[in-house]
Amino acid sequence: MSLQLRRTIQTFASSITRGHKCSLVDKNKNLSELSKLGQTDAARKMFDNMPEKDEFTWNTMIAAYANVGRLVEARQVFEEVPIKSSITWSSLICGYCKHGFEIEGFELFWQMQSEGHIPSQFTLGSILRMCAIKGLLSRGEQIHGYAIKTCFDVNVFVMTGLIDMYAKSKRILEAECIFQIMSHGKNHVTWTAMINGYSQNGDALRAIQCFSNMHSEGIEANQYTFPGVLTSCAALYDNRFGVQVHSCIVKGGFEANVFVQSSLIDMYSKCGDLHSAKKALELMEVDHAVSWNSMILGCVRHGVPEEALSLFKRMHASDMEVDEFTYPSVLNSLACIQYVKNGKCLHCMVVKTGYESYKLVSNALIDMYAKQGELACAVSVFNNMVEKDVISWTSLVTGCAHNGSYEEALKFFCEMRMAKIEPDQIIIASVLSSCSELALLELGQQVHADFIKSGLDASLSVDNSLLTMYANCGYLEDAKRIFNLMQMRNVISWTALIVAYAQNGKGKESLRFYDEMIASGIEPDFITFIGLLFACSHTGLVEHGKKYFDSMKKDYGIRPSADHYACMIDLLGRAGKIQEAEKLVNEMDIAPDATVWKALLAACRVHGSTDLAEKASIALFQLEPQDAAPYVMLSNIYSAAGKWKDAAKLRRKMKLKGVNKEPGYSWIEMNGVVHTFISEGRSHPKSDEIYSKLDDVITLIKEAGYVPDLNFSLHDINEEGRERSLSYHSEKLAIAFGLLCVPNGVPIRIYKNLRVCGDCHNAMKFMSGVFGCHIILRDSNCFHHFKEGICSCGDYW
């Protein structure tokens, strides 16, 4: 019991012993002190023993109950008051407003006036504070109207309440108007309300300007002012002004205030000054979870996750309270540094402390597991969540997409939409990327339409994903249209367009877009140069390719990666410069990887260099012993050179080592259904019609001059069998299905997991001419647009 309380009770007891000789004024004074100290029961005991009560006595007892939230008892005392004044009504109204009972508060407010009592500035202030906290804008506007009618709109207390109410209701212009109307009487509370209003409404610059004006007016800030202006400094990354505010804090003696200290740490952390943030943290007299959380989050944001983990360990070792805001930051740091074991340990701690049920923590767990490639764990956490929000779904969908589980990403997205959860820009971008990777044009178009209907703001990531999706599905015109409509473009946007045109056989346009990108002031990155070299390779622009390869290192300081070397070797190999390609492999700054050797082997396949092909294959057998590609490519090179024994020996070796060739398949999407075909496969419901149609197609294109190229068929069967096998390749079956089902005039879009064989490529040229159709084939390398007997690749693929 405090000394002040003990003295008050002793005075009360003494007054009873003296036979109530103490005056009513003294008793009221003691009653008021008990009320202020929160000793409501002691105050009530004193109240009941007072033979004489005046208006102050009754009002004090009502206020005592109202302040601590005992509103039923406050109302009972209120009903017993013999004569109610405006203060009596206000005491009860303030209690209801303070504890958030807006309906009762407003009913009493209107009843008070109907009984002829005029509310005071404190009544209006209490109601406005409740409106501000609970976002009751329309009610607040009614009070504003009442204040104007009763001339309370010039009262500083009421005007400050109006500023706070409008600011918290996202009506900052109204708050600013009232603030500017106040010609005099602005106190530190008024200024603070305006500063915090600007800060909370995202106008950090005006918050800082308002703080500067307050300082110029000679108004002293307090512990409620500094957090708002420091938050604004953080939003603008204005470390310099933040340091000046810090100086004001020290001069004003507020450095020990936990909320001010936490805001300082948060400001320094967000501005990237982790040294000052840590110094402020070390100076705290009492450790507070909010401050440590800000410091940990700052470390994660600025790329020092190890420091974040170190801080968490110190926090945990000191038995400091770890809350639902601590765990997400620490989990983010673990996601950054791929500590799977530590992530699972932290998950155990989350479960033990009972925070797994917090949405914020569970969402961070899903994100952490997804980024570490532990999708099963991410799905498990997700399934155990009682309530899921858009962040929960986004973390899972983006995690699946990030790990290459595109079908899973789309499955979860569809479940999310069925659960009536509205997507945000992040998940839309991930879903579009998944559609892009799987070449699911129709689903991608539906997601695009859904995004437009949603009314969500334009997003650079969504625009880039849309551009890439349309480009990867062969819709070059739509990709260019998206690009032209983009309000903002970055290097990803330009690179996506460069690659799109290169893959669709328009290499020269790719180079033109590169020139436009440089002219716009955007510098290329290493992916841009892969796109450029790919464009040069598929257009035969050897000298241009060499120029870009040199420029990459010389002009932009980008060290060539294995992918760049592979593109250059492919460029030289296609152009018949095999020796130059081999020389480049020998002169590489880095060790050649499988991508490089495969590019060299592909060049040997085109130009029949058996010795060099054997050298490249040996390197690939060592680097990727279970990859069938080098076996198949070398076998084809042997067969083309008439080395049947070597080809047969290589196939036996492949079988002995258990190396399996990836089966080739093609697919076509129609009305949301994907139809898949394998060579000579008959699993499709319409297989009889498809084979009959294909036989007719082969007959017609033969009449037009098509001759089957048996070099692309199996060599261990007779000629008739080889030709029949060649006729029923997966891409030819897909074309026959397209000719049966795709409406006239609509392009037939085929996708293949491997490179299209030379015979199928030739056959499709004839098909496009004979049937007058536009065939678009995307194989593992590029797009082929067949039209009027010509392919967009110029037979250079």
Side-chain angles (χ1 to χ4, degrees):
M1 185 183 293
S2 69
L3 180 61
Q4 185 180 3
L5 176 58
R6 189 178 293 114
R7 284 175 178 171
T8 302
I9 294 173
Q10 285 173 350
T11 303
F12 166 60
S14 175
S15 69
I16 295 174
T17 304
R18 294 197 307 269
H20 307 291
K21 292 180 182 179
C22 183
S23 69
L24 180 60
V25 173
D26 291 333
K27 290 177 183 178
N28 281 341
K29 182 180 178 183
N30 293 334
L31 184 68
S32 178
E33 288 180 2
L34 287 171
S35 174
K36 289 175 182 176
L37 292 168
Q39 297 298 316
T40 314
D41 291 332
R44 181 60 194 250
K45 187 176 180 181
M46 183 177 181
F47 176 83
D48 289 340
N49 284 284
M50 291 174 66
E52 184 184 358
K53 302 179 181 71
D54 63 4
E55 182 186 339
F56 183 87
T57 313
W58 288 98
N59 292 342
T60 301
M61 196 63 241
I62 293 169
Y65 277 129
N67 284 335
V68 296
R70 293 165 66 172
L71 299 173
V72 174
E73 291 153 297
R75 188 67 176 262
Q76 288 173 348
V77 176
F78 174 81
E79 297 297 344
E80 294 171 7
V81 176
I83 301 174
K84 300 178 179 67
S85 67
S86 294
I87 297 173
T88 313
W89 285 90
S90 294
S91 299
L92 186 61
I93 291 169
C94 290
Y96 277 106
C97 291
K98 179 180 179 181
H99 296 284
F101 292 91
E102 68 267 19
I103 296 174
E104 292 86 349
F106 275 104
E107 283 179 352
L108 286 167
F109 178 71
W110 303 125
Q111 188 181 343
M112 171 187 183
Q113 296 170 69
S114 68
E115 295 191 15
H117 297 284
I118 300 173
S120 69
Q121 65 194 61
F122 304 108
T123 317
L124 297 180
S126 295
I127 292 179
L128 286 169
R129 192 178 304 113
M130 179 181 66
C131 292
I133 293 169
K134 305 202 82 173
L136 305 173
L137 176 60
S138 60
R139 290 287 194 179
E141 288 175 327
Q142 289 176 19
I143 300 301
H144 189 182
Y146 177 84
I148 293 171
K149 289 178 183 178
T150 54
C151 297
F152 273 114
D153 60 325
V154 294
N155 181 276
V156 174
F157 189 79
V158 174
M159 294 185 83
T160 300
L162 284 168
I163 291 168
D164 186 51
M165 184 274 295
Y166 279 120
K168 284 188 169 70
S169 300
K170 306 296 181 186
R171 298 283 285 271
I172 193 64
L173 291 178
E174 285 88 339
E176 187 178 56
C177 182
I178 294 168
F179 183 78
Q180 290 173 350
I181 288 171
M182 294 177 69
S183 56
H184 64 279
K186 294 174 187 171
N187 55 25
H188 68 279
V189 181
T190 314
W191 284 94
T192 298
M194 197 66 240
I195 291 168
N196 289 335
Y198 282 130
S199 179
Q200 291 162 3
N201 282 272
D203 199 339
L205 185 59
R206 290 201 176 209
I208 289 173
Q209 289 172 342
C210 192
F211 178 80
S212 298
N213 294 338
M214 175 183 177
H215 190 69
S216 300
E217 293 283 336
I219 307 294
E220 294 294 330
N222 63 9
Q223 68 268 29
Y224 302 107
T225 316
F226 292 118
V229 71
L230 287 169
T231 299
S232 297
C233 292
L236 295 173
Y237 306 107
D238 193 344
N239 188 41
R240 196 171 61 129
F241 194 82
V243 170
Q244 294 177 28
V245 176
H246 191 174
S247 176
C248 294
I249 290 168
V250 174
K251 288 177 183 177
F254 294 103
E255 200 171 19
N257 182 276
V258 66
F259 297 107
V260 174
Q261 285 180 318
S262 297
S263 298
L264 269 173
I265 293 165
D266 184 62
M267 182 274 295
Y268 281 126
S269 297
K270 286 177 178 172
C271 291
D273 188 353
L274 297 180
H275 174 75
S276 296
K278 197 169 183 181
K279 189 175 178 182
L281 185 71
E282 301 293 349
L283 290 173
M284 288 187 72
E285 295 178 6
V286 180
D287 286 327
H288 196 279
V290 175
S291 306
W292 283 77
N293 289 347
S294 296
M295 187 73 231
I296 290 169
L297 182 59
C299 291
V300 174
R301 281 175 173 166
H302 292 282
V304 281
E306 294 86 356
E307 182 69 18
L309 284 174
S310 175
L311 286 166
F312 173 71
K313 288 174 183 175
R314 284 177 56 192
M315 188 179 181
H316 184 62
S318 63
D319 293 326
M320 200 184 310
E321 180 188 1
V322 175
D323 59 22
E324 70 269 27
F325 301 106
T326 313
Y327 284 119
S329 298
V330 180
L331 288 165
N332 286 337
S333 68
L334 289 169
C336 292
I337 52 182
Q338 298 288 305
Y339 280 1
V340 178
K341 185 178 178 181
N342 285 4
K344 291 182 177 179
C345 289
L346 188 60
H347 189 179
C348 291
M349 192 184 299
V350 167
V351 174
K352 287 178 182 177
T353 52
Y355 281 105
E356 194 176 24
S357 60
Y358 285 73
K359 233 180 333 189
L360 198 66
V361 178
S362 290
N363 288 343
L365 278 168
I366 295 168
D367 183 63
M368 182 269 294
Y369 279 129
K371 286 178 178 173
Q372 291 180 348
E374 297 283 332
L375 289 180
C377 294
V379 172
S380 176
V381 174
F382 179 83
N383 289 336
N384 287 329
M385 290 181 71
V386 177
E387 185 183 350
K388 306 172 181 74
D389 61 9
V390 66
I391 298 171
S392 318
W393 289 95
T394 299
S395 299
L396 189 62
V397 171
T398 55
C400 289
H402 178 75
N403 285 281
S405 298
Y406 304 114
E407 290 184 15
E408 286 294 299
L410 296 178
K411 185 192 82 171
F412 284 120
F413 175 72
C414 292
E415 289 179 9
M416 170 189 161
R417 298 301 285 126
M418 287 189 286
K420 306 297 183 184
I421 302 293
E422 293 296 328
D424 58 14
Q425 289 97 327
I426 297 171
I427 198 169
I428 290 290
S430 292
V431 169
L432 287 169
S433 295
S434 297
C435 291
S436 174
E437 293 294 333
L438 297 174
L440 296 176
L441 174 65
E442 290 183 17
L443 180 58
Q445 288 174 322
Q446 290 174 24
V447 175
H448 186 185
D450 200 28
F451 176 69
I452 294 170
K453 290 176 185 176
S454 71
L456 290 168
D457 293 334
S459 161
L460 183 59
S461 61
V462 172
D463 285 342
N464 284 340
S465 297
L466 272 171
L467 195 163
T468 306
M469 186 273 293
Y470 281 117
N472 280 0
C473 292
Y475 269 57
L476 209 55
E477 290 181 3
D478 286 330
K480 185 63 165 62
R481 181 174 55 82
I482 295 293
F483 181 83
N484 291 337
L485 291 172
M486 289 174 70
Q487 297 175 359
M488 187 186 303
R489 301 174 186 135
N490 60 7
V491 65
I492 297 172
S493 320
W494 284 97
T495 299
L497 196 66
I498 288 167
V499 172
Y501 273 77
Q503 287 183 328
N504 282 272
K506 297 180 181 292
K508 290 182 179 178
E509 284 89 339
S510 290
L511 307 190
R512 179 170 58 80
F513 287 131
Y514 174 74
D515 292 337
E516 290 180 15
M517 181 184 87
I518 298 301
S520 71
I522 294 177
E523 286 196 359
D525 61 12
F526 73 100
I527 298 176
T528 312
F529 282 103
I530 290 175
L532 285 172
L533 294 173
F534 182 92
C536 293
S537 175
H538 286 254
T539 319
L541 300 173
V542 177
E543 294 307 315
H544 282 79
K546 290 179 179 179
K547 183 188 75 171
Y548 291 128
F549 189 75
D550 293 337
S551 171
M552 177 172 61
K553 188 163 44 177
K554 179 181 175 183
D555 299 329
Y556 300 102
I558 300 172
R559 186 185 177 192
S561 68
D563 288 329
H564 296 110
Y565 280 109
C567 287
M568 277 303 297
I569 290 161
D570 186 60
L571 168 65
L572 295 169
R574 286 171 183 276
K577 299 179 181 291
I578 300 294
Q579 292 180 342
E580 198 172 337
E582 183 183 10
K583 182 183 176 187
L584 182 60
V585 173
N586 295 331
E587 293 176 351
M588 282 176 61
D589 295 337
I590 56 176
D593 69 358
T595 311
V596 173
W597 288 114
K598 282 179 182 177
L600 188 61
L601 186 57
C604 296
R605 180 182 63 82
V606 174
H607 297 285
S609 180
T610 308
D611 294 340
L612 188 55
E614 289 174 343
K615 178 182 176 182
S617 297
I618 290 169
L620 283 166
F621 295 155
Q622 293 175 343
L623 288 169
E624 295 180 347
Q626 291 303 306
D627 185 5
Y631 289 94
V632 174
M633 292 171 74
L634 183 59
S635 175
N636 290 337
I637 290 170
Y638 282 146
S639 297
K643 296 184 176 183
W644 311 115
K645 290 183 179 180
D646 289 333
K649 183 180 178 182
L650 188 62
R651 286 197 295 273
R652 284 195 300 272
K653 181 181 178 182
M654 181 179 173
K655 188 175 182 180
L656 187 66
K657 290 193 173 186
V659 179
N660 295 315
K661 177 189 174 185
E662 180 185 3
Y665 59 90
S666 302
W667 69 96
I668 179 169
E669 183 187 5
M670 188 174 296
N671 299 324
V673 178
V674 176
H675 301 265
T676 306
F677 302 91
I678 60 172
S679 293
E680 300 187 75
R682 292 184 176 271
S683 60
H684 195 279
K686 293 187 175 182
S687 60
D688 290 341
E689 294 177 62
I690 292 168
Y691 273 83
S692 176
K693 179 67 174 179
L694 185 54
D695 289 340
D696 292 340
V697 168
I698 297 297
T699 300
L700 288 171
I701 62 175
K702 279 183 176 179
E703 291 174 0
Y706 161 70
V707 177
D709 188 342
L710 299 183
N711 289 319
F712 292 97
S713 64
L714 297 173
H715 293 280
D716 51 0
I717 56 177
N718 60 41
E719 186 170 330
E720 184 181 347
R722 288 168 66 187
E723 184 174 339
R724 184 173 61 251
S725 170
L726 199 63
S727 297
Y728 301 139
H729 276 191
S730 65
E731 50 266 63
K732 290 192 180 85
L733 291 170
I735 291 277
F737 175 78
L739 290 170
L740 280 170
C741 301
V742 174
N744 289 333
V746 177
I748 300 173
R749 298 177 181 276
I750 310 294
Y751 304 92
K752 184 174 172 65
N753 64 324
L754 305 176
R755 284 173 63 113
V756 60
C757 81
D759 178 73
C760 287
H761 188 272
N762 189 37
M764 286 183 190
K765 288 197 297 181
F766 278 97
M767 290 176 190
S768 68
V770 170
F771 293 95
C773 59
H774 181 190
I775 301 170
I776 301 172
L777 170 71
R778 192 188 90 169
D779 66 6
S780 62
N781 196 38
C782 65
F783 276 94
H784 301 267
H785 292 258
F786 299 96
K787 209 167 186 181
E788 297 177 353
I790 299 171
C791 181
S792 59
C793 73
D795 298 338
Y796 198 75
W797 87 100

